[in-house]
Amino acid sequence: MKSTLRRALSIAALAVVPIVAFAPVAAAVPTTVNFDCQGSTPVGAQYFTLQQGAEVTAPATVAPGGALTIVIDPAPNTIPSSVNGYTVKRVHTMALKVPIPANSTYVSATLSGGSNVGATNISVANGVATITASGPIAGGSTFELPTVTANLTAAASGTIETKLYGTSYSVPGLTFTAVVGSFFGDMNVPTKCYPNPNPVITTTTIA
């Protein structure tokens, strides 16, 4: 009887091995996003570019109606010390937008980590998650935005794609106010940026 039970347990264990070995796992995808930016100054618009690296983790597949978690972990970055000849003294009121992917439903999200960005918060409205950082962040200093962990529910079919928000200066995905020095004294420069290009970073297949 013991031998039969032992044999049955061994067969069951062997049957589980292929399932574990071939189960889809979440893969971290490194990416660098290029932002085209426009700062509004009293002497006219100023144009420049910024880059932000990140690792984004998402499962390869999810069952219809199943739960999935997407993690966006921004890399450390540096505020420019000058832009177009203007000295950047500090940056504040930063907001980064991430759309809730199609074929998914938002459940919850949390922020963790981050450094030198002041108070942070995440809110979701109209299908877009907005991560805010109060600052101030001094020009020339290093900062790190917090890691975003988003919990979603998959739809019945299709794919779930992770990408950033924004298509133009009028529909920005990143905004902040820069305080810059000039001959006229310190100026507040509201800045709007959008990812260009804006590639799909991760894809999860509902199956």
Side-chain angles (χ1 to χ4, degrees):
M1 181 66 178
K2 289 183 178 179
S3 177
T4 302
L5 179 59
R6 188 179 298 113
R7 189 179 304 111
L9 291 174
S10 298
I11 293 171
L14 289 172
V16 170
V17 170
I19 297 173
V20 173
F22 294 102
V25 296
V29 178
T31 187
T32 299
V33 178
N34 297 294
F35 286 95
D36 284 346
C37 299
Q38 179 192 67
S40 299
T41 77
V43 295
Q46 298 293 317
Y47 298 92
F48 58 98
T49 60
L50 293 175
Q51 288 188 328
Q52 176 62 58
E55 279 197 348
V56 183
T57 303
T61 63
V62 63
L68 71 152
T69 299
I70 296 175
V71 179
I72 303 173
D73 183 11
N77 207 341
T78 301
I79 296 295
S81 56
S82 65
V83 172
N84 296 344
Y86 293 95
T87 299
V88 179
K89 294 192 171 182
R90 59 188 175 276
V91 165
H92 63 85
T93 324
M94 184 180 293
L96 175 67
K97 293 184 176 182
V98 181
I100 303 301
N103 299 317
S104 73
T105 302
Y106 171 77
V107 177
S108 64
T110 57
L111 299 179
S112 60
S115 63
N116 193 32
V117 290
T120 59
N121 186 53
I122 184 167
S123 60
V124 176
N126 301 318
V128 179
T130 302
I131 300 95
T132 57
S134 64
I137 310 169
S141 67
T142 299
F143 69 97
E144 186 173 358
L145 290 169
T147 297
V148 182
T149 301
N151 300 304
L152 309 172
T153 300
S157 62
T159 58
I160 298 171
E161 298 178 338
T162 305
K163 60 188 304 184
L164 295 180
Y165 182 86
T167 56
S168 65
Y169 300 129
S170 58
V171 186
L174 172 67
T175 60
F176 56 86
T177 297
V179 180
V180 303
S182 72
F183 293 115
F184 309 102
D186 289 353
M187 297 186 298
N188 286 315
V189 180
T191 302
K192 299 178 180 181
C193 311
Y194 69 96
N196 185 24
N198 188 9
V200 173
I201 302 170
T202 67
T203 300
T204 300
T205 302
I206 301 172

